[in-house]
Amino acid sequence: MSEGERRIDSGLPRFGEADLTNCDREPIHIPGSIQPHGAMLVYDSEKKIVTYASANASAMLGATEIIGCPLDAILGVRAAHDVANAINKSVAASAPGLKFGMSVDGVATRFDVAAHTHLGRTFIEFEPSTDGSDAYGPLELTRALSRRLADEKTMPGLSRTAAKMAALMLGYDRVMIYKLLHNGAGRVIAEHKRGDLHSFLGQHFPASDIPAQARELYKRNWIRMISDASYTPQPVLPPIPQSQPPLDMSYAQLRSVSPVHCEYLRNMGVGASMSISILVEGELWGLIACHHYSPMAVPLPRRVGAELFGQFFSLQVETMERRERYDAANTARSRLDRIVAEISPEEELQDSLSLQLADIRQLLPCDGAALWIGGSWVAQGAVPPDAAIQPLVAMLDENTRGEVWNTNHLASLVPQLASDVHNVAGVLAVPISKTAGDYLLFFRSEESRFVEWAGAPEKIPTGPLGDRLTPRKSFELWREEVRGQSTPWSVADLAIADAAQNYLRDVVLRHAEATAEERKRTEAHRRLVNEELDHRVKNILALAKSIVEQSRAGASGIESYAAAVGGRLQALAFAHDQMTRNCGGGELRRLVEAEAAAYGGVRGAQRTTLEGPNLLLGERAYASLALVVHELATNAAKYGALTAPEGGVRVSWRLTPDGDCELVWEEHGGPVIQKPQRAGFGSKLINQVVSFDLGGQADVTYPPQGLVAHFVIPARHVIGEAAPADISKHKAEDIMTDTPSSALVGTRVLLVEVIAMDAEDYLRTHGAVQVAIAPTAAAAMRQIQAERPDVAVLDVNLGDHSSGPVAEHLASLGVPFVFATGYGDSSMVPDGMRSIPVVRKPYTEDVLIAALSKALASKPQG
C-alpha cells in the first residue's frame, strides 16, 4: 500500500482525495509518487544502499536490480562518484547538489542530477539532459535578464519586465506576476502572453486556489514544475511500512502534485506549468506563474537559472517596497514638522490642531479626518454622523489600549454605521494622549467596486468522489460586487500613524505644562521619551536572552550555543548604546570592545588588546566596520587565535597625516594558519564593505603565526576624536571582582524588576535561599515590611514609575543593593546614589553575581 493510498494516523486525508472539510490539510508533501519526466532513488547514506526507487527508475537508468544495491552497481563507478559529490555539495534540503550532463554506464542518455537530504533520507533525482552539460548558458542568460530588472524604478514596470524576461528565459506561452492580497486572494498584476490567448491581467483568483499547505511548500521550495498536467504518477516502491515515517518530498524536484491541481490546470486548458516563489521578508508575496498549453519540461539548468531570477526579483520587490515606505514616511515627517511648528503653545490645543486638520488629513490616503479631544469633536471630509460618534469612541476606548489601531470593516464593530458604510467603512485610530480618550482619526469610505474574478470563486460543483472540491470548469470573467469595507490600511499607513502619534503626543505634553517653567523642561522630556524607547528595546533584548538561556533547561548539548547567543546579545546592547549616544555614528574603540565581548564575554575582551585614540566614525563607516569587525572576530573565534587558550588579538588604529583612519587587526598565539584556497563570503564582504562601500583600502594576509588585516578608512568618514569616555563607576565590567559567588549562600534577595525570568535562577544557583520578586515599588515596600532582605536588585525604570523610593528606604535600613538599567548613561540613577553599583541590561550571570557579592562585601559589619 503506497503513501498516497494509506491513511496517516494524524487524520490527514488521503493524497488526492481531499473534500470540503479537509482540503486545506491534503498531505501534498508526501504523495508517494513522482512525475514521469524523471526518476528518483532514495538512498540510505549509512547502509550505502538504495532503499526506495520510482517505478520508472529501472527503465530510465538501465538497471535490472535497484532496491538494496549500492550506487556503483546501479550507475557505474564514475557516475556513483559524481552523485556522491553532488550529495556532499548539498548544504541544505532547499539547496540540492547538482551535476549536469552525467553519463550512466550502459545508457546512451545523459542526465541532470539533483541530490538533497531531508529528514535522514537522501533523494537523488535524474532527468534526461536536453541542454547537454551546458549549465553556464542558462546562468549567463539569467544574469543578463536580471540586470534589466535593476533598471526599473516602479512596481508596475518591474513586474512587467519580470514577466517578459521570464517568458524569454523559459519559453512558456503565458507568464504572470501573481500578487497575494490582504484577504488571501491573488491578483495578476503583470502578464506576458502568446498573442492569441485571452488575458488574465487584473483578474483575481480566490484564496482557495492556493491552500495553506501549498503556500508553505512555496516558502520552502523556490521552484515547482509540472511538465504534463495529464501525467501518470510513478509510484515510489516498495510501499513504506506503517511503522516507518512516509517519504517527505517537500524539497523534491519531481514531487507529484495534487490531482485536484492537475484537474484545475486542465480545466484552464493548460498542459504544463511552473511556479517561481516571490518571497519578501521571509513571507510569500506572490508567484511568477508560468503556463504552457501543451506538455513541456524545462531542463534543470534553466530551472536553476529561474530560481536565481526569482530570488533576484524578490530582492528587487523587497527593496522597492521598503523604499516606497521610507519615502512615504519621510514625506509625512516633513509635513508633521511643518504642522507642529505652526501650532502655538499659547492657544488651546483643540483650536490649534483644528486649524491644522486639513494638513493632517494629507498625511496618508483617506476620505476624512477627525479629532476627539476632551470630549469635543472636530471633523473634515467623510466622517461618521453625530449619532455614531459616542458609540465609535466607546469602541475605540475598549480596543486601542493606547496603541495605533485600525479596521477596514467598521460597521461590524459599530452597528450604528451600518447604514452609512458608503461614507465611512474603515478607520485608523491614533491615540494622542497617554490617558485614554483623545484620538486623531482617519476615515476611508466604502471600496464599493466590482472585483474581476477568473471564474466564480464560490462555485464548488459535485465531482466524481461526491461533495468534493472539484476545480471550477469555467475561467470566463466573473464579477462580484464588494460592499461594506474600505481599502485596507497598509504597513506604510501604520508607520505614518505611529510617527503622527509620537509628534502629537509631544504637542499634548507641551500644552499640558501650565507654567513657563514646565514648558522650559519640554526638551528634557523629549530626551526622556528617547531614553524610554532605548530602555524598552533593551528590555526586549533582556527578554530574548532570558528565553534563550531558559531553553537550556529542557534541552541537551546546547549550553555553549546558549552562552554564545547571550554574549552576542550583551555586545549588541553596548553597540546600541553607541549608536544612540552619537546620533548614528560611534566610537571605534567601543565597537571593537563590544565585538570582543561577544566572543567570550569579559575574558574575550581581555584577550583583545586595543591601541589607538578615541575616534568617532560617521554613521556609514560605523555600520560598515561593525560588519567587518564582526566577521574578523567570528573567524578568530572559529578558526583563528581565539580558538587557543593563549591566543589573542591586537587591534590598533591611528590617524594619518591626511586624516584617514588606519586600522590593523593582528592575531597571535593561535594555530598555524595558511591562506584559503578560495575567497569565502567573509573575505568578499570585507573587501566589498571597505573598498567599495567606503572607498577605502583592505589588505588581508595570512602569515603562519596568525591573520593580519590592514584597513584604511577615508577621512570623510572620520568625525574626529571623541572626548575621553566616562569609564568610572558605572561601567559593567568595573564591578567584576574576584569576590567568590559563595557570598550569596544563605541570603534573602529582593528583585524589583518588571522582567526577571532568568535572574531568579542565577541567584538560586549561587546559594540564595529566598528570592522575592516585586514588579512595582509598592509591591517592593510591602515585601520589605514583611521580611527585610539581605541584598536587593532594583530596576531603575519600572514602567510608569521609578524604584527611587525603594532605594531610599533600603538605604535607611542599611540593606545593600545594586541598580539594573538599560539606559545608555547614568542619568536615571537617583541623585545622591551615583556611588551605588550599576549593572547594564541585558546582564550576564557573572556580572549580576559579582555586583551583588561586591555590595554584600561593602556592607558594614556590626
Side-chain angles (χ1 to χ4, degrees), residues 627-795:
L627 291 175
V628 172
V629 174
H630 176 78
E631 187 63 33
L632 291 170
T634 301
N635 287 337
K638 292 171 65 177
Y639 314 112
L642 296 183
T643 63
E646 303 304 322
V649 178
R650 177 178 179 270
V651 185
S652 61
W653 59 91
R654 69 182 184 91
L655 279 178
T656 68
D658 295 331
D660 297 338
C661 173
E662 184 181 72
L663 184 145
V664 179
W665 174 287
E666 299 174 276
E667 298 183 19
H668 57 82
V672 176
I673 66 168
Q674 58 183 358
K675 183 177 181 180
Q677 294 183 353
R678 65 181 184 86
F681 174 78
S683 300
K684 294 177 181 177
L685 181 143
I686 289 172
N687 187 63
Q688 172 74 26
V689 165
V690 177
S691 301
F692 295 95
D693 293 356
L694 300 180
Q697 300 173 25
D699 181 33
V700 182
T701 58
Y702 301 87
Q705 64 272 22
L707 177 146
V708 177
H710 180 269
F711 306 104
V712 177
I713 311 302
R716 64 179 179 274
H717 297 297
V718 180
I719 297 176
E721 292 196 34
D726 179 10
I727 56 173
S728 58
K729 50 185 173 285
H730 293 298
K731 187 175 177 183
E733 294 90 323
D734 291 343
I735 65 172
M736 296 293 292
T737 71
D738 295 328
T739 304
S741 61
S742 59
L744 291 175
V745 173
T747 58
R748 298 183 304 274
V749 184
L750 172 63
L751 266 178
V752 185
E753 284 228 34
V754 177
I755 301 172
M757 289 178 62
D758 52 359
E760 180 179 5
D761 286 347
Y762 293 162
L763 297 168
R764 293 193 185 278
T765 299
H766 287 267
V769 295
Q770 177 181 316
V771 180
I773 300 175
T776 65
M781 291 295 197
R782 289 193 297 270
Q783 180 62 37
I784 295 169
Q785 184 176 6
E787 186 171 13
R788 182 183 300 187
D790 298 312
V791 70
V793 180
L794 310 183
D795 191 338

Side-chain angles (χ1 to χ4, degrees), residues 339-353 356 506-516 518-520 522 526:
I339 291 170
V340 171
E342 293 177 9
I343 293 177
S344 170
E346 310 301 329
E347 297 179 3
E348 288 295 326
L349 178 61
Q350 183 178 352
D351 295 340
S352 296
L353 288 178
Q356 303 295 327
D506 189 53
V507 171
V508 170
L509 286 171
R510 278 194 295 161
H511 278 73
E513 294 168 343
T515 66
E518 288 174 326
R519 284 198 297 271
K520 205 163 129 186
T522 299
R526 281 201 187 114

Side-chain angles (χ1 to χ4, degrees), residues 116-128:
H116 74 277
T117 300
H118 182 49
L119 300 179
R121 289 165 168 155
T122 298
F123 297 81
I124 308 169
E125 301 175 81
F126 301 82
E127 298 180 41

Side-chain angles (χ1 to χ4, degrees), residues 340-575:
V340 171
E342 293 177 9
I343 293 177
S344 170
E346 310 301 329
E347 297 179 3
E348 288 295 326
L349 178 61
Q350 183 178 352
D351 295 340
S352 296
L353 288 178
S354 298
L355 294 174
Q356 303 295 327
L357 189 56
D359 282 341
I360 293 174
R361 181 180 165 187
Q362 302 303 315
L363 289 173
L364 50 82
C366 67
D367 299 299
L371 284 163
W372 175 263
I373 300 178
S376 297
W377 175 265
V378 179
Q380 188 177 85
V383 296
D386 291 345
I389 293 174
Q390 289 292 347
L392 170 64
V393 173
M395 184 275 296
L396 293 176
D397 288 344
E398 182 178 347
N399 286 280
T400 60
R401 303 182 185 278
E403 304 294 332
V404 172
W405 184 88
N406 74 92
T407 179
N408 70 322
H409 196 188
L410 186 55
S412 64
L413 299 170
V414 183
Q416 292 85 346
L417 287 170
S419 61
D420 201 46
V421 291
H422 65 283
N423 196 41
V424 176
V427 65
L428 175 57
V430 182
I432 58 175
S433 63
K434 291 197 173 183
T435 58
D438 294 336
Y439 301 100
L440 166 64
L441 304 173
F442 298 95
F443 296 100
R444 282 181 179 167
S445 301
E446 178 186 55
E447 189 186 17
S448 181
R449 77 216 194 292
F450 285 99
V451 175
E452 296 183 346
W453 294 96
E458 84 288 352
K459 186 178 181 182
I460 306 172
T462 299
L465 296 178
D467 194 13
R468 174 177 168 271
L469 182 61
T470 300
R472 55 192 184 276
K473 299 293 187 289
S474 173
F475 287 83
E476 294 300 319
L477 189 65
W478 186 87
R479 289 182 172 87
E480 176 191 23
E481 190 175 10
V482 177
R483 300 195 61 85
Q485 300 180 27
S486 71
T487 303
W489 305 94
S490 68
V491 174
D493 295 332
L494 299 181
I496 292 171
D498 281 332
Q501 183 183 53
N502 291 334
Y503 274 81
L504 294 179
R505 277 188 171 175
D506 189 53
V507 171
V508 170
L509 286 171
R510 278 194 295 161
H511 278 73
E513 294 168 343
T515 66
E517 182 180 353
E518 288 174 326
R519 284 198 297 271
K520 205 163 129 186
R521 291 159 53 188
T522 299
E523 283 302 316
H525 180 76
R526 281 201 187 114
R527 185 170 179 273
L528 184 62
V529 170
N530 289 335
E531 291 278 12
E532 172 68 16
L533 176 61
D534 187 57
H535 177 76
R536 291 187 182 185
V537 169
K538 288 175 183 173
N539 269 343
I540 293 172
L541 291 176
L543 179 59
K545 172 178 170 292
S546 298
I547 292 172
V548 171
E549 295 191 346
Q550 289 288 333
S551 298
R552 288 185 294 177
S556 174
I558 61 169
E559 293 182 358
S560 59
Y561 166 75
V565 172
R568 289 188 174 99
L569 288 174
Q570 186 76 15
L572 183 60
F574 284 124

Side-chain angles (χ1 to χ4, degrees), residues 94-440:
S94 59
L98 305 172
K99 176 64 179 177
F100 301 122
M102 188 186 79
S103 296
V104 173
D105 285 0
V107 180
T109 304
R110 288 178 175 268
F111 294 96
D112 295 328
V113 180
H116 74 277
T117 300
H118 182 49
L119 300 179
R121 289 165 168 155
T122 298
F123 297 81
I124 308 169
E125 301 175 81
F126 301 82
E127 298 180 41
S129 177
T130 57
D131 285 349
S133 58
D134 179 21
Y136 295 101
L139 294 178
E140 285 292 330
L141 177 60
T142 300
R143 185 172 68 171
L145 297 180
S146 297
R147 287 173 179 167
R148 292 284 303 275
L149 297 180
D151 296 333
E152 297 295 340
K153 305 302 181 186
T154 66
M155 189 64 71
L158 177 67
S159 301
R160 286 193 300 269
T161 300
K164 182 177 181 180
M165 296 300 100
L168 177 64
M169 175 171 55
L170 300 172
Y172 281 95
D173 292 332
R174 184 198 304 270
V175 175
M176 298 168 285
I177 306 300
Y178 178 92
K179 181 180 180 181
L180 296 175
L181 306 177
H182 65 280
N183 57 3
R187 179 172 178 267
V188 178
I189 63 172
E191 179 184 55
H192 187 83
K193 65 181 182 64
R194 205 175 65 198
D196 60 317
L197 298 174
H198 68 278
S199 177
F200 284 155
L201 183 63
Q203 291 188 19
H204 291 68
F205 290 75
S208 59
D209 278 9
I210 309 179
Q213 74 275 30
R215 296 180 190 228
E216 184 59 33
L217 284 183
Y218 281 129
K219 290 167 64 174
R220 297 185 195 176
N221 214 336
W222 284 88
I223 297 287
R224 192 232 45 206
M225 182 183 76
I226 301 173
S227 60
D228 185 348
S230 300
Y231 75 90
T232 300
Q234 295 294 307
V236 178
L237 303 172
I240 296 180
Q242 291 279 357
S243 60
Q244 295 186 19
L247 289 175
D248 189 328
M249 298 188 191
S250 294
Y251 299 96
Q253 306 274 335
L254 299 172
R255 172 177 58 84
S256 268
V257 297
S258 170
V260 173
H261 185 67
C262 288
E263 184 180 347
Y264 174 98
L265 292 176
R266 292 194 298 271
N267 289 346
M268 295 181 76
V270 174
S273 74
M274 178 187 289
S275 297
I276 305 171
S277 301
I278 306 171
L279 298 178
V280 174
E281 296 181 352
E283 296 299 324
L284 187 65
W285 184 92
L287 297 170
I288 302 177
C290 309
H291 288 174
H292 206 65
Y293 291 86
S294 60
M296 183 175 76
V298 175
L300 183 58
R302 270 194 279 165
R303 296 208 305 272
V304 173
E307 180 176 337
L308 295 176
F309 182 83
Q311 291 171 351
F312 186 81
F313 178 68
S314 296
L315 288 173
Q316 291 296 104
V317 170
E318 185 171 329
T319 299
M320 192 166 290
E321 288 196 340
R322 285 183 177 177
R323 185 187 305 125
E324 289 175 353
R325 292 198 298 266
Y326 177 81
D327 290 344
N330 270 352
T331 300
R333 285 190 175 90
S334 297
R335 187 180 295 274
L336 281 167
D337 283 335
R338 293 195 302 271
I339 291 170
V340 171
E342 293 177 9
I343 293 177
S344 170
E346 310 301 329
E347 297 179 3
E348 288 295 326
L349 178 61
Q350 183 178 352
D351 295 340
S352 296
L353 288 178
S354 298
L355 294 174
Q356 303 295 327
L357 189 56
D359 282 341
I360 293 174
R361 181 180 165 187
Q362 302 303 315
L363 289 173
L364 50 82
C366 67
D367 299 299
L371 284 163
W372 175 263
I373 300 178
S376 297
W377 175 265
V378 179
Q380 188 177 85
V383 296
D386 291 345
I389 293 174
Q390 289 292 347
L392 170 64
V393 173
M395 184 275 296
L396 293 176
D397 288 344
E398 182 178 347
N399 286 280
T400 60
R401 303 182 185 278
E403 304 294 332
V404 172
W405 184 88
N406 74 92
T407 179
N408 70 322
H409 196 188
L410 186 55
S412 64
L413 299 170
V414 183
Q416 292 85 346
L417 287 170
S419 61
D420 201 46
V421 291
H422 65 283
N423 196 41
V424 176
V427 65
L428 175 57
V430 182
I432 58 175
S433 63
K434 291 197 173 183
T435 58
D438 294 336
Y439 301 100
L440 166 64

Side-chain angles (χ1 to χ4, degrees), residues 834-849:
R834 300 301 172 91
S835 61
I836 302 298
V838 177
V839 290
R840 305 290 180 202
K841 297 170 66 175
Y843 44 71
T844 64
E845 180 176 353
D846 290 343
V847 168
L848 177 63
I849 300 304

